[in-house]
Amino acid sequence: MQTQGVAGFITESGGQLSHTAILARSLGIPAIVGVHSARRLLRDGDMVLMDGSAGLVDADPHEKTIALYRKRQRVQKRATRELEKLRDAPAETTCGTAINLFANIENDDDIKALRRANALGVGLYRTEFLYMNRDDIPAEEEHFQVYSKIIRSLKGAPFTIRTVDLGADKQTAHTEKGPQERNPALGLRGIRRCLKEPALFEPQLRAILRAAARGPVNILLPMLTNVDEVVQTRALLNQVREALIAEGKKVGEDIKLGGMIEVPATAIAADQFAKELDFLSIGTNDLIQYTLAIDRIDDYVNYLYDPLHPAVLRLIKMTIDAGRKRRVPVSMCGEMAGDERFIRLLLGLGLRDFSMPSNSLLAAKKVILGTKLRDLRKLSDSFIEETNRERRDAILQKINAELAPED
């Protein structure tokens, strides 16, 4: 769709946090999902107005409506131009606290957008897209060439590669050949699949270790639930490293190993994972799904998807606190990290490293530049503890209104 010039798309099923919707946001393609009966109500040749922010589809819109939205487009473009002026401004609060802003990428083309926003590097590279739209598994050399190209483009900036997270809503020809799972979201995905299928995992690890000889690389493991998975991965990494050295291949020396915190059990045991890992990265998309027991791509229940649920926020804070205690960096790479409504709340909880789609970075920086940290911690703690909806709304409004005073 990105290469074919598609203006936007509508689906009859799915949720706002499905991988399809996440990718559409990253690519800047307007998308509205879960529009029941769209194919029955929309006809070929219809003029359709899409408002992705409001989730509005207007078929055969009135001329006045079109004029209104043309005006909104102009306002949006002006706002984007204003944000571009912040490109070279340091991402720090009014009290001088530096906040680290990284980009999530899906392919090497995203590096251009990362540069336009002046991100510090790549906080999350989703490697699943190397496996999609094909019948075979990418070979080691293909991985190596792709990673090397990105490393060259980054010119020394950090590059965090998430090992392949196949399964659930990221199906490929490879996963479809396996047994059909009754509940894919709770099935063989992420690190579980990788450790179970060394033929899938080892070529990627070999390529990462080789590419790391050309620039700074971190490895991020998805869907961790057990510390033993970290121990097994480290053992496999050592085996792969020894094999590459024996073959006379150059490998990276200082590669940090991190883990995704996206399962409640992992967040609760974050202090134990912090002992075994070099950094932690909170994946809010799945963390919210598993904490609230809802399928984020099921449009019948995704109205229950709530990033601000007290249980979700407690798990996030628990992870941040565990990292601080163990002196292990904690970042957030889920969609919540790039949502302007939540950035100050997360800062109040102690988060200092954010990774998000490149097109969200400058808006996030604007929020950070206007943020005074002094009172945020107390307000954020109060928000987690408050149960009354009206009082919670009032606290959140106060958090987001806590702008730096003008001198």
Side-chain angles (χ1 to χ4, degrees):
M1 289 185 175
Q2 185 186 31
T3 59
Q4 297 299 317
V6 171
F9 67 86
I10 300 164
T11 68
E12 288 193 326
S13 60
Q16 295 178 39
L17 273 296
S18 67
H19 217 65
T20 299
I22 291 170
L23 183 57
R25 272 193 292 276
S26 176
L27 296 176
I29 300 174
I32 301 176
V33 297
V35 183
H36 299 176
S37 303
R39 286 176 294 176
R40 181 174 59 84
L41 297 171
L42 299 177
R43 305 241 191 293
D44 286 348
D46 280 355
M47 175 181 278
V48 177
L49 185 150
M50 289 178 56
D51 182 346
S53 299
L56 170 70
V57 180
D58 189 348
D60 194 19
H62 191 277
E63 288 183 7
K64 289 184 178 180
T65 305
I66 295 173
L68 172 64
Y69 273 86
R70 294 287 186 207
K71 182 178 179 181
R72 289 187 181 180
Q73 284 181 325
R74 291 192 294 271
V75 170
Q76 188 177 52
K77 288 177 181 177
R78 282 199 298 271
T80 299
R81 286 195 295 271
E82 286 298 310
L83 285 176
E84 289 170 354
K85 296 177 182 178
L86 301 177
R87 179 190 180 279
D88 296 322
E92 57 182 37
T93 63
T94 58
C95 49
T97 300
I99 307 300
N100 299 314
L101 296 181
F102 297 90
N104 298 342
I105 69 170
E106 275 77 34
N107 56 57
D108 54 358
D109 290 338
D110 292 339
I111 299 297
K112 296 175 185 176
L114 177 154
R115 283 178 177 160
R116 286 196 297 270
N118 204 16
L120 293 177
V122 174
L124 171 67
Y125 173 42
R126 297 184 175 100
T127 58
E128 296 79 60
F129 298 98
L130 291 172
Y131 296 76
M132 294 181 173
N133 301 318
R134 60 193 298 166
D135 295 325
D136 60 345
I137 296 172
E140 174 188 335
E141 193 60 28
E142 183 178 348
H143 280 285
F144 175 69
Q145 293 298 333
V146 171
Y147 303 155
S148 297
K149 183 178 178 181
I150 295 173
I151 288 169
R152 285 195 301 272
S153 299
L154 287 172
K155 299 178 180 178
F159 178 30
T160 300
I161 302 173
R162 187 175 72 183
T163 56
V164 62
D165 184 12
L166 298 180
D169 63 332
K170 290 169 279 190
Q171 297 294 332
T172 66
H174 174 74
T175 59
E176 289 170 356
K177 290 175 184 175
Q180 297 302 304
E181 297 176 300
R182 293 185 178 181
N183 192 337
L186 300 179
L188 196 62
R189 58 167 296 197
I191 195 65
R192 302 173 183 178
R193 181 179 291 276
C194 287
L195 290 174
K196 191 175 180 65
E197 300 181 27
L200 177 74
F201 200 22
E202 288 185 21
Q204 183 173 37
L205 292 182
R206 284 175 60 91
I208 292 173
L209 290 178
R210 288 173 59 199
R214 301 189 169 196
V217 169
N218 305 317
I219 297 175
L220 182 59
L221 306 178
M223 198 61 185
L224 287 170
T225 53
N226 196 305
V227 171
D228 286 343
E229 292 164 337
V230 178
V231 175
Q232 290 178 56
T233 301
R234 282 201 184 276
L236 185 57
L237 272 168
N238 289 333
Q239 291 176 22
V240 168
R241 180 187 295 276
E242 290 173 5
L244 286 169
I245 292 173
E247 295 168 17
K249 303 267 178 66
K250 290 183 178 180
V251 297
E253 294 298 328
D254 185 24
I255 302 175
K256 292 181 171 57
L257 183 65
M260 294 283 289
I261 306 298
E262 48 192 342
V263 177
T266 317
I268 293 169
D271 60 329
Q272 296 180 347
F273 280 91
K275 290 180 185 178
E276 301 292 335
L277 292 163
D278 300 310
F279 65 98
L280 305 176
S281 187
I282 304 171
T284 52
N285 305 340
D286 276 324
L287 182 62
I288 298 166
Q289 168 176 250
Y290 292 126
T291 302
L292 303 183
I294 59 139
D295 185 347
R296 60 188 170 101
I297 65 173
D298 183 343
D299 51 319
Y300 288 103
V301 296
N302 61 28
Y303 69 94
L304 294 169
Y305 192 93
D306 181 11
L308 298 179
H309 192 288
V312 173
L313 295 178
R314 287 184 181 188
L315 292 174
I316 290 172
K317 188 173 190 302
M318 195 178 293
T319 303
I320 295 170
D321 290 346
R324 184 185 295 113
K325 182 180 178 182
R326 299 286 178 189
R327 297 185 179 179
V328 170
V330 177
S331 66
M332 179 179 288
C333 61
E335 293 298 290
M336 188 176 180
D339 194 317
E340 299 167 56
R341 299 169 298 172
F342 309 139
I343 289 173
R344 287 188 180 145
L345 174 63
L346 294 170
L347 288 170
L349 295 179
L351 189 68
R352 297 295 180 263
D353 292 5
F354 294 73
S355 190
M356 62 191 72
S358 296
N359 53 21
S360 299
L361 283 164
L362 293 179
K365 184 185 286 189
K366 182 180 179 181
V367 173
I368 291 164
L369 290 170
T371 295
K372 183 171 61 177
L373 285 177
R374 187 179 63 195
D375 300 324
L376 280 184
R377 183 171 183 177
K378 183 184 291 186
L379 285 169
S380 297
D381 288 344
S382 298
F383 184 80
I384 293 178
E385 297 304 321
E386 184 57 66
T387 57
N388 180 275
R389 181 175 292 276
E390 289 184 2
R391 286 196 290 268
R392 277 169 62 84
D393 290 344
I395 295 171
L396 185 62
Q397 187 174 11
K398 189 173 182 180
I399 288 172
N400 286 330
E402 195 69 25
L403 295 170
E406 293 184 6
D407 294 327

